[in-house]
Amino acid sequence: LIDAAVLVDCLNENYIPLENDENVALTKKAMLHQSLLSYSNKQVPEGLALYDLSFGNDGKTLPIFRNLRATFSNAIDTIFGGRLGIGKKPLQTLLASSLDSFTNIRRDRQKYFVEEFPTDEEFGKQLDSVYDVTVVEEAKSMRTNIPQEMTM
């Protein structure tokens, strides 16, 4: 449901075809590309974070001291579960009850993972390499040329 809501927001932000545009098909295509790039920038990190939180390190092991620290931290979290200000809520409880994004939760739990979670900028670079940048740039320039009364 959240994915659909985010997609609707991205379409509302970026997909505003003009009635009197000579290149309506090209304009719509460029705006659609911009909408999908915006959606991907918001949701791809969430999906990867959820995957990491669900499946952990995929068989990779932490270095011995990080593994001991993570095991000790897990034990404290399991025993206290964030009560009395000691430890954190168990992951399942946190995911079900928190309004934090999956990416924030994943970054907060970095000590449990072998690989560093990419930053938003790194995700942006990866997604830019996937999308046709020229079409996205056209959409941005068309977006800035929209009359103010059309965006309200």
Side-chain angles (χ1 to χ4, degrees), residues 48-75:
L48 182 60
L50 182 57
Y51 178 86
D52 280 357
L53 291 169
S54 298
F55 296 105
N57 287 312
D58 283 338
K60 300 173 189 164
T61 57
L62 291 169
I64 187 73
F65 291 112
R66 279 184 64 198
N67 197 11
L68 288 173
R69 187 176 97 186
T71 302
F72 182 69
S73 181
N74 266 340

Side-chain angles (χ1 to χ4, degrees), residues 76-77 80-89:
I76 290 174
D77 292 348
F80 293 102
R83 291 182 295 258
L84 305 173
I86 302 172
K88 297 179 182 178
K89 292 181 181 178

Side-chain angles (χ1 to χ4, degrees), residues 87-98:
K88 297 179 182 178
K89 292 181 181 178
L91 182 59
Q92 186 173 2
T93 304
L94 184 64
L95 292 174
S97 63
S98 174

Side-chain angles (χ1 to χ4, degrees), residues 34 134-146:
Q34 181 61 36
T134 58
V135 173
V136 172
E137 290 304 319
E138 286 175 17
K140 286 181 183 175
S141 69
M142 288 176 193
R143 179 90 170 106
T144 58
N145 295 332
I146 296 173

Side-chain angles (χ1 to χ4, degrees), residues 80-146:
F80 293 102
R83 291 182 295 258
L84 305 173
I86 302 172
K88 297 179 182 178
K89 292 181 181 178
L91 182 59
Q92 186 173 2
T93 304
L94 184 64
L95 292 174
S97 63
S98 174
L99 295 178
D100 285 343
S101 69
F102 295 138
T103 55
N104 289 341
I105 294 170
R106 167 60 177 84
R107 287 181 179 129
D108 185 49
R109 293 178 170 261
Q110 178 57 44
K111 64 185 172 191
Y112 299 110
F113 294 92
V114 174
E115 295 176 4
E116 194 75 24
F117 193 74
T119 64
D120 292 334
E121 292 80 26
E122 291 169 334
F123 275 117
K125 288 177 187 176
Q126 290 173 359
L127 290 170
D128 284 344
S129 69
V130 172
Y131 281 89
D132 183 3
V133 178
T134 58
V135 173
V136 172
E137 290 304 319
E138 286 175 17
K140 286 181 183 175
S141 69
M142 288 176 193
R143 179 90 170 106
T144 58
N145 295 332
I146 296 173

